[in-house]
Amino acid sequence: MNVASILDKRRVQWNELESLCDAMESRGRTDRAGGPEHRGAQGIARFSTLYRAACADLALADAYQLPPNTVTYLHQLVARAHNQLYRANQFEPSTWVDVLFYEAPRQIFADSCVRVATILFFGLFTLAMYMGYDEQRFPGFANAVMGETQLENLESMYEQKLNGSLDHYVSMAGFYINHNTGIGLTCFASGILIIPCLFKLAYNAVVLGVAFGYMARPDVTGGDNFFQFVTAHGPFELTAIALSAAAGLRLGVGWFRTGGLNRIDSLRRSAIQAIPVMAAAATMFVLAAFTEGFLSPSPLPFIFKAAWAIMSSGMISFYFVILGFPWPKRSRGSHSPRYESTTIDSDASGQRSLGHVTHAT
Amino acid sequence: MSVPAALDTTIAVVTPENIAFNYQLAGPFRRLPAYLIDVAIRWLIIIVVVVLMLITGSLLDLQFFGPFIGAGALILNFVVSWFYGATLETYFNGRTVGKWATGIRVIDIEGRPITGKRALIRNLLRIADFLPAAPLSSLGAEDAPPAFIIPTAMVCLLSMIFTRRMQRLGDLAAGTMVIVDERSWRLPIAKVDDPRVPALASFIPADYRVSRSMAKTLAIYAERRHYLTPARRREIAKHLTIPLIERFEFRNDIDPDLLMYSLYYKTFLADGSGELPDLGNLADFSPLAKDANKPTQVLAANQPLTPMRAPS
């Protein structure tokens, strides 16, 4: 038997596997591949049989001294079938609730990056607010940070009493979702390089702080309106900025706090840990945007806005502390609540890849 | 294992079936067009949807719906520009429209398809990969507002150069890689229809075993010889055939190209049964050196015949 006739014989099966792959790629099922033996469970069984056969052919290809382009073809065929057999498990929207209310708060509670980012952000914010407020002690600080025209713009923006209409609210809410959440996501993404993330966080803290401090000066017009505006959405928005920077920092810290893994694996683990935190931050950004769009510019009395601010602060504290506290017992039967789902995930994949190596050698 | 890694852009993946197969990695020059197509499509989606909203809005009551359309457009912009890649890669097995058009695909570094979380991470981190950003005003356009910046994507390029799987930062964090996803494959094994080839092959000693690297060389040669002129073929083949001619005790004026092709035929195509094909007027020919004084010259190098065509 020569090589060509072996190939011709096997080629019938390869072609069948290819047509099954075609059907799987377009519809996710084998039904369309042609013959009646390709429908339903039978088709799947046939697919896996053919796949295993192709795997065996690939393994034997070297021993048979098949031509290299045939080996290349087999590599591609096996890769293609492999990709169909082990398809992606997609986003389950039902797990999002679990991510938001179970994983994220515990992650946030336990994560030292959250503490660092929060202290940095609110520390710089308070400092800048004081320096922007106290013109006697720090003359020209506000001007130096924001510039003359910016400060004037800020003043003129809040000269009128807050009195929006419905169309104003709606479009502003859309704007804030787009703009602020975008800033948060950018902050998170640049966290992998650490320095741009810290810079963005510090920049936002200083500029916001100076704006707050400047508007709090007694001789500035529109100060009242300004605080009327910012009180309601402040807690959500400021926390969300700090939180998304924290998620980004967690990502970047993965480069050098490896915990015994190699750097890349450590980065992957910290990226998976950072996702729930970022999801929580994005949710807060959206809540803040709706508050900022609808409640903040409304002419409601200040007491309502202050009440909302207190309530949202309470909600955030509840979320961080009560939901986040590593309670020892949970109905899930988890042993170590801290990082549990993420570490198990990465450990499992680590073991899998280890298994591969031992098999391969 | 002490097998040196090949100097090419393939990566081996071991499957649960304990088979190692190769993926061809996609480099920056395949991925950039895919990304540009995706950018174009993102803008197309946003523009088309906003225009549709404006048309329906103006048919009903633009005064009332205007702000809703504005807010809708902004939210659409947010969702599409941040989550386009992640959504498509999750639901279309690692491909966006641009990747589909350029024939590349994202997979897990272990060869499995990408999951939603990984797709999200690698797409969100694109921002970091495009750093550092250069302001347009520094590149000659002096009066451009500082808001117009160009992503230089140096981080991404450097990261691709220095990683074995040509991953950018987002890929590193998500544990993914981008591979070339060929869809049209042929199964090439060259057919031989020149009677001189089996004739010559029948004179190759039966105890000669083609080594593995020799088999590979022969197959590559047979694939490539169509692109070469006869003179060039002989020139290339000569280096390999001179020791072979000595070993087989052939005549020195055997066409090296023909000898290579005969070896290829014997390795991959010849039937083991030993039955000789019909040789026609070549039947009494012998390439052996001891028969050199015989009159036939058909296989000599000075005759510019290609083995793919039967001699007239």
Side-chain angles (χ1 to χ4, degrees):
Chain A
M1 172 114 37
N2 70 22
V3 175
S5 56
I6 294 174
L7 288 187
D8 269 346
K9 229 175 170 182
R10 303 295 307 135
R11 211 178 154 169
V12 181
Q13 291 207 342
W14 296 341
N15 283 341
E16 192 182 345
L17 182 58
E18 257 191 71
S19 67
L20 281 172
C21 281
D22 280 337
M24 290 280 283
E25 269 163 19
S26 60
R27 314 213 125 217
R29 267 176 287 154
T30 53
D31 297 12
R32 280 291 178 93
E37 73 275 17
H38 294 150
R39 300 228 170 79
Q42 233 183 333
I44 295 164
R46 180 89 188 126
F47 180 84
S48 51
T49 310
L50 289 173
Y51 170 61
R52 279 196 301 272
C55 282
D57 288 339
L58 177 56
L60 289 173
D62 233 17
Y64 275 147
Q65 297 186 351
L66 296 192
N69 42 21
T70 310
V71 179
T72 314
Y73 166 81
L74 276 176
H75 275 299
Q76 283 165 336
L77 181 66
V78 169
R80 198 173 165 205
H82 177 79
N83 246 314
Q84 291 310 315
L85 197 62
Y86 301 92
R87 274 176 87 86
N89 48 338
Q90 292 153 353
F91 260 146
E92 286 293 327
S94 56
T95 62
W96 293 1
V97 175
D98 207 46
V99 167
L100 268 186
F101 292 103
Y102 183 72
E103 263 182 64
R106 281 167 184 246
Q107 181 71 44
I108 292 166
F109 189 86
D111 198 336
S112 49
C113 285
V114 174
R115 275 164 245 158
V116 171
T118 318
I119 290 168
L120 182 73
F121 181 77
F122 286 103
L124 277 177
F125 177 81
T126 321
L127 191 68
M129 186 155 89
Y130 175 65
M131 287 171 82
Y133 174 75
D134 201 337
E135 179 69 15
Q136 253 79 49
R137 218 166 283 175
F138 304 99
F141 180 73
N143 265 336
V145 172
M146 291 189 65
E148 195 77 50
T149 47
Q150 284 258 356
L151 287 176
E152 274 167 22
N153 281 346
L154 194 64
E155 266 186 80
S156 62
M157 248 168 76
Y158 294 100
E159 257 173 82
Q160 265 96 49
K161 269 218 153 316
L162 297 172
N163 189 13
S165 55
L166 179 68
D167 33 325
H168 177 76
Y169 296 162
V170 172
S171 52
M172 282 325 275
F175 172 77
Y176 292 127
I177 287 180
N178 181 27
H179 184 250
N180 294 358
T181 320
I183 289 180
L185 288 173
T186 313
C187 207
F188 164 69
S190 52
I192 195 169
L193 300 169
I194 303 179
I195 291 172
C197 171
L198 287 177
F199 174 77
K200 275 198 176 71
L201 185 69
Y203 175 82
N204 274 307
V206 170
V207 169
L208 286 174
V210 166
F212 272 67
Y214 180 79
M215 294 310 276
R217 285 185 200 168
D219 55 332
V220 166
T221 53
D224 284 347
N225 292 332
F226 177 78
F227 283 101
Q228 280 255 346
F229 181 74
V230 295
T231 305
H233 64 261
F236 272 143
E237 195 164 294
L238 300 183
T239 317
I241 294 177
L243 213 53
S244 49
L249 282 182
R250 164 55 55 205
L251 205 57
V253 164
W255 285 117
F256 50 85
R257 258 198 74 179
T258 56
L261 298 171
N262 73 29
R263 270 181 222 289
I264 306 295
D265 285 345
S266 154
L267 183 70
R268 276 161 58 191
R269 186 183 64 179
S270 51
I272 287 177
Q273 284 171 1
I275 281 285
V277 182
M278 190 57 230
T283 315
M284 271 181 215
F285 270 120
V286 172
L287 285 176
F290 278 110
T291 313
E292 194 171 359
F294 289 97
L295 181 63
S296 299
S298 68
L300 283 173
F302 184 69
I303 184 80
F304 285 100
K305 297 178 182 177
W308 176 255
I310 291 166
M311 209 179 82
S312 55
S313 311
M315 273 158 64
I316 293 171
S317 315
F318 175 81
Y319 183 74
F320 283 4
V321 179
I322 308 292
L323 289 183
F325 191 78
W327 301 106
K329 278 195 181 168
R330 257 307 276 210
S331 53
R332 280 157 215 278
S334 56
H335 300 298
S336 63
R338 182 173 172 174
Y339 300 163
E340 51 143 24
S341 57
T342 51
T343 38
I344 286 168
D345 182 26
S346 60
D347 281 353
S349 67
Q351 274 164 10
R352 266 200 297 280
S353 52
L354 205 70
H356 285 192
V357 172
T358 44
H359 279 300
T361 43
Chain B
M1 285 199 295
S2 61
V3 180
L7 272 178
D8 60 5
T9 57
T10 56
I11 193 97
V13 166
V14 182
T15 72
E17 287 77 16
N18 203 10
I19 294 295
F21 59 83
N22 290 334
Y23 277 119
Q24 197 194 339
L25 293 168
F29 296 102
R30 279 214 187 225
R31 292 166 70 167
L32 181 68
Y35 176 70
L36 293 179
I37 293 173
D38 282 334
V39 170
I41 284 174
R42 258 164 33 194
W43 281 106
L44 206 69
I45 292 173
I46 293 171
I47 290 169
V48 166
V49 173
V50 169
V51 166
L52 281 182
M53 284 199 300
L54 278 177
I55 290 171
T56 37
S58 63
L59 286 178
L60 296 166
D61 181 4
L62 193 59
Q63 203 66 30
F64 178 72
F65 284 106
F68 286 95
I69 292 169
L74 285 166
I75 293 174
L76 182 77
N77 174 46
F78 168 71
V79 172
V80 170
S81 34
W82 283 98
F83 299 108
Y84 165 88
T87 317
L88 284 183
E89 279 170 16
T90 310
Y91 288 100
F92 294 100
N93 207 3
R95 277 183 294 197
T96 59
V97 179
K99 289 196 175 70
W100 170 77
T102 50
I104 57 180
R105 179 204 291 280
V106 188
I107 55 165
D108 195 317
I109 51 171
E110 276 149 30
R112 286 168 303 177
I114 189 169
T115 61
K117 248 183 197 172
R118 290 175 190 269
L120 190 64
I121 292 171
R122 76 181 293 282
N123 279 289
L124 285 184
L125 291 186
R126 181 165 282 132
I127 292 287
D129 275 307
F130 279 163
L131 289 177
L136 199 58
S137 49
S138 75
L139 295 172
E142 301 290 339
D143 48 351
F148 287 155
I149 48 171
I150 304 175
T152 53
M154 279 303 131
V155 172
C156 158
L157 263 182
L158 284 179
S159 158
M160 275 195 210
I161 289 168
F162 287 113
T163 50
R164 194 159 53 93
R165 299 188 179 91
M166 293 209 250
Q167 291 162 300
R168 58 181 179 83
L169 286 185
D171 284 323
L172 282 177
T176 54
M177 60 186 177
V178 182
I179 51 144
V180 177
D181 189 29
E182 299 287 354
R183 265 164 296 159
S184 60
W185 297 320
R186 45 203 179 85
L187 182 60
I189 183 153
K191 287 267 185 296
V192 177
D193 42 14
D194 184 338
R196 296 179 306 159
V197 172
L200 187 56
S202 66
F203 282 96
I204 295 172
D207 61 341
Y208 176 69
R209 286 265 145 249
V210 175
S211 72
R212 192 165 288 188
S213 62
M214 185 65 180
K216 197 170 176 182
T217 312
L218 287 173
I220 293 170
Y221 179 76
E223 255 173 69
R224 292 291 161 96
R225 63 185 290 283
H226 303 290
Y227 305 108
L228 305 170
T229 60
R232 195 87 180 129
R233 284 178 202 167
R234 280 199 284 276
E235 192 187 336
I236 291 171
K238 209 167 65 189
H239 300 289
L240 265 170
T241 52
I242 285 173
L244 284 177
I245 285 175
E246 253 173 56
R247 182 169 171 177
F248 299 159
E249 297 175 343
F250 280 179
R251 287 155 50 164
N252 281 332
D253 56 349
I254 292 284
D255 186 348
D257 173 49
L258 199 58
L259 182 54
M260 287 289 277
Y261 213 53
S262 306
L263 265 178
Y264 173 79
Y265 172 82
K266 189 169 157 47
T267 314
F268 293 122
L269 301 173
D271 234 328
S273 59
E275 189 184 310
L276 264 184
D278 181 27
L279 297 179
N281 59 349
L282 293 171
D284 58 344
F285 168 75
S286 161
L288 298 176
K290 62 180 188 300
D291 302 330
N293 46 5
K294 280 195 176 183
T296 17
Q297 289 287 323
V298 182
L299 299 180
N302 52 7
Q303 276 189 301
L305 290 169
T306 63
M308 295 303 289
R309 208 173 45 212
S312 49

